[in-house]
């Protein structure tokens, strides 16, 4: 359903003339897919148990991870002959505050579907790290317009998406659905804004995509140990027992 909604949003983007720097409407296609799945399989969708409470610590961790991605990109840029330009607000199509808000909503539109729905469902079927990697793979492949820049660029982008997904899993696993969405949105939004502000001349070249893949890959790799820590039974990264959402957490709390 998300794939069907994406071209509809693309047409709406073109019809409204909305500048993609402000917001890409297709980001909400995964939310549409999640809502349709919820409507069809309501009450039959398993969801992992909530084992962690509190949201301040994971929010701070997500912001820190986003800053680390930006820092790695900056260090890579120093070592390269090409210099990516930082943001000049005069070049923006709208006030920066509006863009920041719209970008946050766009990131949330994606995260409702990916880290709020797909990844938790996969966690009931497999180890958390595997669920995160598969979610990232699907997340990256879902950005199929990137294929227009070439298969190699598209493939490297998918690698970066997997790194982001693993990092998101490290700070969201075990949280209730709303915390998963909020925390992963902060991470996703922070990375996007770091790129917008620090590297506004970024493009779809192989050099830039390779930089993104290196930065995301390093951050994702650093988060892997947090996903494979032994659980209380001594197994490594085993999935939490599946249960119907409505058993202890009412389904209407999910959206």
């Amino acid at each position: 359903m998300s794939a069907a909604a994406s071209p509809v949003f693309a047409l709406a983007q073109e019809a409204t003339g909305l500048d993609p720097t402000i917001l890409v409407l297709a980001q909400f296609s995964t939310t549409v897919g999640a809502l349709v799945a919820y409507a069809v399989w309501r009450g039959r969708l398993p969801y992992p148990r909530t084992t962690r409470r509190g949201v301040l610590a994971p929010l701070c961790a997500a912001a820190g991870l986003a800053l680390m991605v930006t820092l790695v990109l900056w260090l890579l840029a120093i070592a390269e002959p090409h210099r990516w330009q930082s943001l000049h607000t005069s070049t923006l199509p709208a006030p920066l505050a509006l863009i920041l808000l719209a970008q946050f909503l766009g990131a949330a539109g994606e995260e409702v579907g990916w880290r709020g729905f797909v990844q938790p469902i996969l966690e009931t079927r497999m180890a958390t790290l595997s669920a995160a990697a598969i979610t990232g793979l699907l997340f990256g492949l879902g950005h199929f317009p990137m294929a227009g820049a070439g298969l190699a660029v598209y493939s490297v982008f998918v690698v970066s998406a997997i790194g982001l997904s693993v990092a998101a899993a490290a700070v969201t696993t075990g949280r209730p659905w709303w915390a998963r969405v909020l925390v992963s949105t902060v991470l996703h939004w922070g990375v996007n804004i770091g790129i917008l502000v620090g590297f506004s001349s970024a493009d779809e070249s192989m050099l830039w995509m390779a930089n993104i893949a290196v930065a995301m890959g390093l951050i994702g790799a650093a988060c892997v140990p947090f996903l494979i820590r032994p659980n209380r039974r001594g197994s490594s990264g085993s999935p939490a027992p599946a249960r119907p959402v409505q058993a202890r957490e009412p389904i209407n709390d999910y959206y």
Side-chain angles (χ1 to χ4, degrees), residues 119-137:
Q119 182 167 308
I121 297 302
L122 290 176
E123 286 176 16
T124 66
R125 300 288 189 270
M126 61 188 70
T128 304
L129 180 58
S130 299
I134 293 176
T135 301
L137 176 64

Side-chain angles (χ1 to χ4, degrees), residues 33-34 37-38 41-49 112-128 130-132 134-135 138 173 175 177 180 239-245 251 254-255:
Y38 161 71
W41 290 291
R42 180 187 178 97
R44 290 177 288 167
L45 290 171
Y47 205 82
R49 293 183 184 277
V112 165
W114 293 115
R115 256 62 65 169
F117 186 84
V118 174
Q119 182 167 308
I121 297 302
L122 290 176
E123 286 176 16
T124 66
R125 300 288 189 270
M126 61 188 70
T128 304
S130 299
I134 293 176
T135 301
L138 297 174
T173 300
R175 309 284 174 180
W177 78 267
R180 286 176 180 260
R243 64 180 176 88
V245 177
I251 190 73
Y254 186 65
Y255 288 103

